[in-house]
Amino acid sequence: SDSASRLSMEEKKGCPESNDVDHSNGIAKRKSKTMVKPTLSCAYCVPFKLKGTALDGKDKFASLETIDKIEIEYSVHTLHSIIKRHCKQIFPGLYKQVKGGKKDLPEIVCIPTFQHCSCDMLEFTDEAEKEKDKLLKSFYAWCQAVCAELISQGFWADYIDPCSGYPVLGSSGSSTYNEVEGMQLLLRYRHQQVGMCKVILHPRWGQRIYPASMFTSAPVDAIQKAVKKVEMKFAKKNIV
């Protein structure tokens, strides 16, 4: 929202909840809640599976590679009402039929992630493009590992392809996920208008970031355990 984008960075750092204002009475309504504050996750030599990703067909020789090091900041949030409304078109496979022919959306949470990068993501140099591809693969690898842990426990999980806005594991719907809007609503980070594009601004890294999101029906404790399990499985000490 425009009001969220005008908030100062100092206000955002100390504000764990995202609110919309009901202008009829001036009362702020809670729309989402931060379940896990931004936390850094590290993993080493994580396998990257190419099939089914946006790179499928583009980079035929990347299917067996591993990502040497992943440093990704993640947080967990209940869905803002706007995001929840959009999810009905983004994840059509989530729905189940209920009485009256209506479709019910299970309770899910959003896990926005950021990776710090050396290049400005608005640059279109060869160096910047290579870094974008590397960070895209790192995001895929991290999400594939975490989603596998959650799905093995019976939870639904999927992640958004940053290149298209569509889910990677499930079927695509009639809408795509807007990362910038999602980051603003959940984290209340500012954005910068660059031409026709909005660029999210991280409180520490500015626009030198690679943002992307994951969604799951798992509770917070299961998410944190899955992340920790991935970190332990792909810990630096395990490298031979």
Side-chain angles (χ1 to χ4, degrees):
S1 66
D2 289 336
S3 59
S5 66
R6 289 194 294 268
L7 288 171
S8 69
M9 199 166 294
E10 288 73 24
E11 289 175 316
K12 294 181 189 63
K13 286 181 181 178
C15 187
E17 296 169 351
S18 175
N19 303 286
D20 275 358
V21 176
D22 181 348
H23 295 286
S24 63
N25 55 22
I27 299 175
K29 293 182 177 180
R30 181 179 300 173
K31 294 296 184 180
S32 68
K33 182 178 180 181
T34 297
M35 311 296 287
V36 177
K37 293 182 179 180
T39 304
L40 189 65
S41 174
C42 298
Y44 300 82
C45 293
V46 184
F48 168 67
K49 299 177 183 178
L50 180 65
K51 188 177 180 181
T53 71
L55 293 172
D56 194 6
K58 173 185 175 184
D59 190 354
K60 288 294 185 181
F61 300 100
S63 58
L64 299 178
E65 76 175 274
T66 58
I67 308 302
D68 293 337
K69 182 180 181 181
I70 299 175
E71 288 188 342
I72 193 166
E73 182 184 82
Y74 78 97
S75 54
V76 182
H77 309 261
T78 59
L79 294 189
H80 188 284
S81 58
I82 293 176
I83 298 176
K84 188 170 185 177
R85 189 163 62 245
H86 289 172
C87 279
K88 295 179 180 180
Q89 287 77 46
I90 298 170
F91 302 110
L94 261 178
Y95 292 101
K96 58 184 179 181
Q97 292 292 331
V98 294
K99 291 182 179 180
K102 296 181 180 179
K103 292 183 176 180
D104 183 38
L105 181 68
E107 287 299 320
I108 61 177
V109 295
C110 180
I111 306 174
T113 73
F114 292 94
Q115 293 179 81
H116 188 203
C117 48
S118 56
C119 294
D120 189 324
M121 288 294 99
L122 292 177
E123 294 178 7
F124 293 96
T125 62
D126 289 343
E127 182 183 0
E129 292 305 309
K130 287 179 181 178
E131 184 170 24
K132 289 175 190 178
D133 283 346
K134 177 180 179 294
L135 296 176
L136 174 62
K137 292 177 182 179
S138 294
F139 170 72
Y140 278 146
W142 188 84
C143 284
Q144 286 169 356
V146 175
C147 284
E149 290 292 338
L150 295 173
I151 292 172
S152 70
Q153 297 175 46
F155 301 112
W156 171 87
D158 205 338
Y159 52 103
I160 300 295
D161 169 23
C163 300
S164 68
Y166 288 114
V168 175
L169 301 180
S171 57
S172 300
S174 58
S175 295
T176 58
Y177 182 64
N178 186 321
E179 291 287 357
V180 174
E181 181 182 59
M183 301 294 185
Q184 283 185 280
L185 292 172
L186 298 176
L187 289 156
R188 300 180 71 184
Y189 287 173
R190 292 190 304 165
H191 77 270
Q192 180 176 326
Q193 193 75 33
V194 181
M196 299 296 290
C197 301
K198 287 183 179 180
V199 180
I200 203 71
L201 297 176
H202 190 276
R204 285 180 292 148
W205 303 327
Q207 62 188 39
R208 291 181 179 270
I209 52 172
Y210 195 91
S213 298
M214 175 181 150
F215 292 80
T216 182
S217 62
V220 175
D221 60 338
I223 296 170
Q224 291 179 303
K225 288 179 181 178
V227 172
K228 288 297 182 185
K229 191 170 182 179
V230 168
E231 292 174 347
M232 292 176 64
K233 182 177 180 180
F234 300 106
K236 191 173 184 179
K237 65 181 181 180
N238 295 337
I239 300 176
V240 179

